[in-house]
């Protein structure tokens, strides 16, 4: 299948290249980032061996749509989206924290709560909650951005005490985070979804704060289906989720959680196709639009030509 597993481009003005877990990032003239969202897929901090066709396009297009839909709240890094799998934007100096916001007790916060903790990242939680309950109000639970290994919880007080972010900037980040989550919640509701929790990353350029990276994608957010949510909570059923949790579930069922000595299960063409189909389903449910596959052809050439055209005509 025609998927983007890796790229090895060389562009005019290129000053550096970075290969992340799922993205290939080219720096142009030390002013712009060209982000190719590949079809690589990671789970449990491990990049799986087979790429998933259209996965990169799904994530890139969802993020581009949400960045456009929130540009009135906070400026973002995007300059141009020349190809379904590519975003070009201005270079920003990232803040060393990720702003995680939770409207429901799910995921990491639910595990902490079940272990008896009633405080997450310095935020107190009431007694009597069960997993996936709606919180009295959304809470911000920041994490440090680890260059290696896992991100770690940190409180507002620790961030300010350590000088990781100035108080003036941090107040802005909190306000932006709450406003973005509110907008994301409203958009999700129209699609019959609940935006459970999500994360935002911010950076600075020329003294101004910008929203960077992807937002409201199934890789950076957790969604529940609205229909039946209350009934499932009342009966203790698991919530119907819209995220890449199904990939983790398949891996766990086949004996893999990223631990030493574990072997990644075989990704047959049928498995790869089923994951691709699920990502397209995610796209259509989140955006309410039909997914359009690019015209067939050499995918890497298409991407390279689109970026070259953008560099020479737009930047």
């Amino acid at each position: 299948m025609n998927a983007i597993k890796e790229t090895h481009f060389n562009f005019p003005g290129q000053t550096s290249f970075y290969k992340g877990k799922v993205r290939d990032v080219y720096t142009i003239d030390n002013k712009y980032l060209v982000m190719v969202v590949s079809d690589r897929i990671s789970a449990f901090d491990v990049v799986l061996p087979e790429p998933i066709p259209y996965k990169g396009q799904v994530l890139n297009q969802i993020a581009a749509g949400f960045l456009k839909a929130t540009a009135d709240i906070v400026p973002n890094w995007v300059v141009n989206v020349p190809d379904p799998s590519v975003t070009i934007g201005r270079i920003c100096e990232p803040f060393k924290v990720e702003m995680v916001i939770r409207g429901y007790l799910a995921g990491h916060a639910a595990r902490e709560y079940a272990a008896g903790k009633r405080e997450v990242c310095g935020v107190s939680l009431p007694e009597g909650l069960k997993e996936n309950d709606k919180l009295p109000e959304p809470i911000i639970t920041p994490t440090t951005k680890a260059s290696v290994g896992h991100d770690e919880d940190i409180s507002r007080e620790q961030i300010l005490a350590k000088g990781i972010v100035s108080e003036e900037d941090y107040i802005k980040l909190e306000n932006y985070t709450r406003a973005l989550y509110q907008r994301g919640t409203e958009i999700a509701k129209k699609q019959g979804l609940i935006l459970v929790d999500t994360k935002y990353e911010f950076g600075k350029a020329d003294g101004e704060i910008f929203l960077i990276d992807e937002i409201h994608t199934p890789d950076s957010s957790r969604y529940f289906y609205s229909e039946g949510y209350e009934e499932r909570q009342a009966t203790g059923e698991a919530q119907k989720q819209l995220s890449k949790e199904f990939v983790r579930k398949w891996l766990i069922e086949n004996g893999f959680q990223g631990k030493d000595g574990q072997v990644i299960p075989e990704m047959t063409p049928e498995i790869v196709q089923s994951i691709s189909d699920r990502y397209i389903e995610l796209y259509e449910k989140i955006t309410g639009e039909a997914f359009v596959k690019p015209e067939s052809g050499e995918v890497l050439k298409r991407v390279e030509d689109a970026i070259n055209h953008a560099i020479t005509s737009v930047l």
Side-chain angles (χ1 to χ4, degrees):
M1 284 185 271
N2 215 358
I4 302 173
K5 188 166 186 179
E6 56 187 4
T7 65
H8 301 281
F9 300 138
N10 199 345
F11 298 114
Q14 183 175 318
T15 44
S16 67
F17 169 74
Y18 167 76
K19 181 179 177 179
K21 280 182 195 160
V22 299
R23 286 176 285 196
D24 292 351
V25 184
Y26 297 83
T27 305
I28 308 297
D29 296 331
N30 292 322
K31 282 174 64 180
Y32 300 102
L33 291 180
V34 173
M35 193 177 282
V36 181
V37 188
S38 80
D39 294 319
R40 298 191 294 272
I41 186 167
S42 72
F44 302 115
D45 288 330
V46 174
V47 177
L48 303 184
E50 296 297 330
I52 306 300
Y54 308 114
K55 173 190 172 278
Q57 178 181 343
V58 163
L59 297 184
N60 193 59
Q61 290 194 311
I62 290 173
F66 275 109
L67 286 166
K68 196 172 180 181
T70 56
D72 60 316
I73 295 172
V74 53
N76 62 63
W77 72 290
V78 176
V79 174
N80 192 259
V81 183
D83 180 90
S85 297
V86 179
T87 296
I88 299 176
R90 60 178 61 77
I91 291 178
C92 299
E93 179 65 35
F95 288 101
K96 291 185 169 57
V97 292
E98 292 183 355
M99 300 298 282
V100 179
I101 184 164
R102 306 173 182 278
Y104 295 75
L105 186 70
H108 171 65
R111 289 189 289 273
E112 294 284 282
Y113 194 89
K117 295 184 182 178
R118 293 298 177 265
E119 189 178 277
V120 181
C121 301
V123 182
S124 296
L125 294 169
E127 290 290 343
L129 293 175
K130 62 179 188 291
E131 186 174 6
N132 300 332
D133 272 355
K134 187 174 184 179
L135 298 171
E137 61 180 325
I139 62 170
I140 293 175
T141 57
T143 63
T144 57
K145 285 177 67 171
S147 49
V148 177
H150 298 280
D151 298 343
E152 292 186 3
D153 289 352
I154 191 167
S155 69
R156 180 189 207 272
E157 290 68 30
Q158 289 170 316
I159 290 167
L160 299 181
K162 292 180 178 181
I164 298 171
V165 182
S166 73
E167 185 168 15
E168 181 187 358
D169 282 346
Y170 194 77
I171 288 168
K172 288 179 184 173
L173 297 189
E174 284 189 323
N175 291 338
Y176 284 147
T177 296
R178 292 190 189 283
L180 289 165
Y181 180 70
Q182 178 62 32
R183 180 68 56 81
T185 298
E186 290 164 1
I187 295 170
K189 189 176 180 182
K190 291 175 185 169
Q191 295 304 122
L193 297 171
I194 294 168
L195 180 57
V196 178
D197 52 39
T198 190
K199 71 177 178 72
Y200 303 112
E201 295 186 46
F202 298 92
K204 248 187 171 180
D206 301 322
E208 186 175 8
I209 294 174
F210 290 88
L211 180 59
I212 61 174
D213 205 41
E214 65 181 36
I215 69 164
H216 298 164
T217 70
D219 276 24
S220 66
S221 313
R222 185 180 278 105
Y223 290 92
F224 291 158
Y225 284 82
S226 305
E227 189 179 343
Y229 166 79
E230 298 287 355
E231 293 83 349
R232 285 188 285 272
Q233 279 306 95
T235 58
E237 274 184 79
Q239 287 298 334
K240 194 177 174 192
Q241 290 201 31
L242 193 71
S243 70
K244 73 170 183 180
E245 196 62 39
F246 69 93
V247 177
R248 295 189 196 96
K249 192 164 176 266
W250 172 74
L251 289 168
I252 291 168
E253 286 168 356
N254 286 274
F256 184 79
Q257 293 185 63
K259 294 174 183 171
D260 288 345
Q262 292 184 336
V263 178
I264 298 169
E266 183 190 0
M267 296 178 72
T268 63
E270 291 76 22
I271 290 290
V272 170
Q273 182 66 56
S274 70
I275 297 174
S276 178
D277 290 344
R278 283 293 294 274
Y279 265 94
I280 290 171
E281 184 187 328
L282 293 178
Y283 174 88
E284 294 185 338
K285 184 61 185 169
I286 290 170
T287 65
E289 299 168 2
F291 182 78
V292 180
K293 296 178 180 179
E295 292 177 21
S296 58
E298 178 33 52
V299 64
L300 289 178
K301 184 170 190 323
R302 184 200 81 211
V303 168
E304 186 176 23
D305 288 349
I307 295 169
N308 273 317
H309 182 261
I311 289 171
T312 55
S313 63
V314 180
L315 305 186

